[in-house]
Amino acid sequence: MKPSQPLPPAGQAEVRIVAATPEVARMIAEALRSRFAATEQRSYPAGGEGATRLHLTVDTTHTAEPPRSWLVTSRSSGSDRIQADEI
């Protein structure tokens, strides 16, 4: 049987999520991202009543990066410069 669309590269999966609300679709996408490296999701309407369809590519050969704490993500990069009005 011939696929109607080209297959993704080995180790990757194209995931389609259809949900009644955007919030539910995003929750499922986040759960996948917590386990696997993934591309940014693409969102499309899925019929009436606010349904949403999300597409993302999951890389099963790489696990997701561990979540960083708010302290790490809020630290200055060192390249921050003092602005003229802060002197």
Side-chain angles (χ1 to χ4, degrees), residues 14-33:
E14 293 291 326
V15 178
R16 308 287 186 252
I17 302 166
V18 180
T21 66
E23 293 78 21
V24 170
R26 281 191 290 268
M27 284 177 25
I28 300 302
E30 286 302 315
L32 286 170
R33 276 198 208 91

Side-chain angles (χ1 to χ4, degrees), residues 25-48:
R26 281 191 290 268
M27 284 177 25
I28 300 302
E30 286 302 315
L32 286 170
R33 276 198 208 91
S34 71
R35 178 70 174 92
F36 301 106
T39 61
E40 189 63 33
Q41 66 200 31
R42 298 163 313 277
S43 174
Y44 306 94

Side-chain angles (χ1 to χ4, degrees), residues 64-77:
E65 293 183 13
R68 299 185 323 172
S69 74
W70 67 269
L71 183 59
V72 171
T73 59
S74 65
R75 286 190 178 142
S76 172
S77 66

Side-chain angles (χ1 to χ4, degrees), residues 56-73:
L56 65 152
T57 303
V58 177
D59 183 350
T60 62
T61 63
H62 294 89
T63 57
E65 293 183 13
R68 299 185 323 172
S69 74
W70 67 269
L71 183 59
V72 171
T73 59

